[in-house]
Amino acid sequence: MSPDTPSLPDDRALARLKDKAPEAADLLRQLANPTRLLILCHIVQKERAVGEMERDLGLKQPGLSQQLAELRQAGLVKTRRESRSIYYSIADDRVQGIMGMLHDIFCAVPDDNQPA
């Protein structure tokens, strides 16, 4: 096996993978919606008020609220109320890691010195 070839999981790792596969699939299902993914990308660096997300992302209030409710129900985001504003932030460390990885793959500006 070459150093670039991923190693196959041993029996214990495979059993754990089988046990965790439904949980992983559910998390990925939540991230598979483009609007929810955009919302998470926007709040991954800092918490954002609903009005700020509406303005920055160009989303209408009803659709934004529906997607935020989905994310909140799934435990991926948390809220904080300040006066009349509700702020959202990432509640799940797994989301933080996944969003960082997605940013590196899809959004990072390539270094001019790196081959394409």
Side-chain angles (χ1 to χ4, degrees):
M1 198 179 299
S2 77
D4 294 334
T5 305
S7 61
L8 296 173
D10 61 22
D11 289 341
R12 287 188 323 196
L14 188 57
R16 183 162 168 75
L17 177 62
K18 286 179 182 178
D19 186 45
K20 291 292 189 174
E23 181 181 343
D26 188 52
L27 175 61
L28 293 173
R29 183 185 62 76
Q30 289 296 327
L31 299 178
N33 177 285
T35 302
R36 288 194 295 265
L37 192 59
L38 186 60
I39 291 166
L40 291 169
C41 284
H42 196 53
I43 66 173
V44 74
Q45 293 177 351
K46 70 174 197 171
E47 70 176 6
R48 310 271 182 173
V50 173
E52 185 181 359
M53 286 188 271
E54 239 181 310
R55 182 189 69 241
D56 294 349
L57 301 176
L59 299 172
K60 303 270 190 240
Q61 168 67 43
L64 177 60
S65 291
Q66 179 183 0
Q67 298 306 325
L68 287 168
E70 286 270 340
L71 292 168
R72 196 172 53 248
Q73 185 176 1
L76 303 183
V77 299
K78 59 187 174 186
T79 61
R80 177 181 67 84
R81 179 180 286 277
E82 185 175 298
S83 185
R84 294 179 62 203
S85 296
I86 298 176
Y87 291 84
Y88 281 82
S89 60
I90 302 294
D92 187 322
D93 290 340
R94 300 172 305 173
V95 171
Q96 194 82 29
I98 291 170
M99 299 311 293
M101 179 186 65
L102 290 174
H103 179 272
D104 290 349
I105 294 169
F106 293 104
C107 305
V109 177
D111 184 350
D112 289 339
N113 299 327
Q114 295 291 336

